[in-house]
Amino acid sequence: MPKKVFVSGSYDMLHSGHVAFFEEAASYGDLYVGVGSDKTIAELKARKTINPDAERLYMVRALKVVRDAWINSGSGMLDFEDELRQLMPDIFFVNTDGHTPAKEQLCKELGIEYIVSQRIPHGSLPVRSTTALRQVCRIPYRIDLAGGWLDQPYVSKFYPGTVITICVEPDYEFNDRSGMSTSSRNKAIELWQTDIPEGDSEKLAKTLFCFENPPGTKYVSGSQDSLGITMPGLNRYFYDNDYWPSKIESRLDDDLLTWIEQRIWMIPLYPRKSDFDVLADTRIDERGAKALSLAAEELWNSLMKKDARTAGEAFTRSFEAQISMFPNMVNAEILEQIEHYKQAALGWKISGAGGGGYLILFSETPIDKAIQIRIRR
């Protein structure tokens, strides 16, 4: 008897990448597909689908490799859980960017084999993704590599220092509140619709910063967010008790950016709890701010030398300095994921305080089930 194979996703704007994924999954047995509802996708992606769930289900069911398909009845990242428990497949098959620890843990509890595909296109066809086909918007995301929180005067007043960011191409559709500067990116979309316009990057960042933080704003978003998505490449911003950096240094040399890209690996984290407050129970002081500043400086110097081991150590020290001041950045689930992966990496931090983002690992060797990014040149 053939094995039962289960996959789940939105499958909006059905394309050759989806078909290749289904064909690869079906090579293991009879394929069953859970389709995310319009409501679930709106909650997770903060946008509407191009095609409604009834139409997406019709197209998926029409594929010859699909044994059966349905619209998942649940919500959130595990919207398929009830159907999974009912079907009890032999295999749960996911793409690299669809992998989450929660899915893997659920399969472990149910005794279901968990297989991660590497998204291999059919024959000579190009790699396709729904995000790539939706390229109405090319506005990038950003990752802060070290020094994050120093762009807030209530931190840098204790000790000045730098925040280091990379500008990330939108090859993946990172969820809102994932620590990838999604709120600033959404404001940039309001301003510019499709991409960062040509012109002076710092002036564009100031425009975005002012648009996101009009007079009377209660919580001022840090300027590293607007700078991080408008300024390509690798950048560091020096803060000294002010919202805007007094100095900016940028690096756009391709060999350095490629070297960094090859060493950044990202693992999705569990969703953030609804009552999460990162600013509760803070312990902001000179000791923590100084440790954060020194770690960021060490990371920058290590990157300039392409010293991976020292860079990884500074990467981790910056993160540890952050959580010494903002302990709610992490929870038991995040610490468990760090413990699981840290032996394979030179350094680690998270994006998305409290969950919903990514465990970011700095490693010279591939990390299982991780995704990689491209830095905008």
Side-chain angles (χ1 to χ4, degrees), residues 126-189:
V127 175
R128 292 289 188 209
S129 70
T130 303
T131 303
L133 291 177
R134 288 174 64 95
Q135 288 312 343
V136 201
C137 177
R138 290 294 307 158
I139 291 176
Y141 296 87
R142 79 92 183 85
I143 295 174
D144 66 290
L145 298 180
W149 292 111
L150 283 168
D151 62 337
Q152 292 290 351
Y154 60 78
V155 178
S156 66
K157 72 179 182 180
F158 288 102
Y159 201 91
T162 58
V163 178
I164 301 171
T165 70
I166 50 176
C167 188
V168 177
E169 293 285 7
D171 296 332
Y172 303 102
E173 204 160 0
F174 298 104
N175 291 338
D176 275 11
R177 305 185 73 189
S178 63
M180 304 286 289
S181 195
T182 53
S183 60
S184 297
R185 184 176 185 267
N186 289 337
K187 288 297 182 181
I189 292 170

Side-chain angles (χ1 to χ4, degrees), residues 144-147 164 234 256 259-261 263-264 292 294-320 345-349 360-364:
D144 66 290
L145 298 180
I164 301 171
L234 170 72
L256 174 61
W259 186 87
I260 295 171
E261 286 171 339
R263 287 159 180 79
I264 297 290
L292 186 58
L294 294 178
E297 189 68 20
E298 181 63 28
L299 177 63
W300 181 266
N301 293 334
S302 301
L303 294 176
M304 295 308 102
K305 298 173 185 175
K306 297 181 184 175
D307 181 344
R309 182 161 298 280
T310 306
E313 291 170 356
F315 199 66
T316 304
R317 282 203 305 275
S318 174
F319 174 57
E320 290 172 344
L346 298 172
W348 52 87
K349 71 179 296 290
I360 305 177
L361 302 164
F362 195 86
S363 174
E364 296 202 288

Side-chain angles (χ1 to χ4, degrees), residues 25-252:
S27 69
Y28 291 90
D30 289 339
L31 178 61
Y32 298 83
V33 182
V35 177
S37 69
D38 295 339
K39 183 175 183 294
T40 295
I41 293 166
E43 290 170 351
L44 291 176
K45 301 290 187 181
R47 62 162 174 80
K48 292 182 178 180
T49 58
I50 298 296
N51 299 310
D53 47 27
E55 186 173 357
R56 290 182 283 118
L57 177 61
Y58 167 75
M59 290 188 289
V60 167
R61 275 183 170 162
L63 297 174
K64 65 180 180 181
V65 296
V66 175
R67 177 71 179 269
D68 195 11
W70 53 80
I71 297 171
N72 294 327
S73 60
S75 61
M77 297 293 289
L78 300 180
D79 64 325
F80 53 80
E81 183 172 354
D82 288 347
E83 287 78 12
L84 185 74
R85 290 180 181 275
Q86 183 176 349
L87 179 67
M88 283 305 294
D90 300 283
I91 295 170
F92 188 0
F93 194 79
V94 300
N95 260 329
T96 307
D97 55 333
H99 159 66
T100 67
K103 291 177 184 177
E104 189 170 17
Q105 181 60 34
L106 179 59
C107 287
K108 186 175 181 181
E109 292 172 4
L110 297 177
I112 297 169
E113 185 180 359
Y114 186 75
I115 299 178
V116 181
S117 164
Q118 295 302 313
R119 186 181 275 175
I120 302 170
H122 175 76
S124 60
L125 295 179
V127 175
R128 292 289 188 209
S129 70
T130 303
T131 303
L133 291 177
R134 288 174 64 95
Q135 288 312 343
V136 201
C137 177
R138 290 294 307 158
I139 291 176
Y141 296 87
R142 79 92 183 85
I143 295 174
D144 66 290
L145 298 180
W149 292 111
L150 283 168
D151 62 337
Q152 292 290 351
Y154 60 78
V155 178
S156 66
K157 72 179 182 180
F158 288 102
Y159 201 91
T162 58
V163 178
I164 301 171
T165 70
I166 50 176
C167 188
V168 177
E169 293 285 7
D171 296 332
Y172 303 102
E173 204 160 0
F174 298 104
N175 291 338
D176 275 11
R177 305 185 73 189
S178 63
M180 304 286 289
S181 195
T182 53
S183 60
S184 297
R185 184 176 185 267
N186 289 337
K187 288 297 182 181
I189 292 170
E190 284 185 50
L191 269 176
W192 301 311
Q193 286 82 53
T194 57
D195 207 344
I196 305 299
E198 293 185 8
D200 184 291
S201 295
E202 186 177 355
K203 288 181 179 178
L204 291 169
K206 283 183 178 177
T207 300
L208 177 57
F209 179 73
C210 292
F211 183 67
E212 186 174 8
N213 300 286
T217 299
K218 183 177 180 181
Y219 173 74
V220 178
S221 177
S223 64
Q224 61 130 323
D225 291 336
S226 54
L227 286 160
I229 65 174
T230 57
M231 301 192 72
L234 170 72
N235 297 278
R236 68 169 172 172
Y237 319 108
F238 186 84
Y239 292 93
D240 188 359
N241 195 23
D242 199 352
Y243 282 110
W244 200 258
S246 59
K247 184 172 62 176
I248 298 174
E249 186 174 353
S250 302
R251 293 295 299 269
L252 288 167

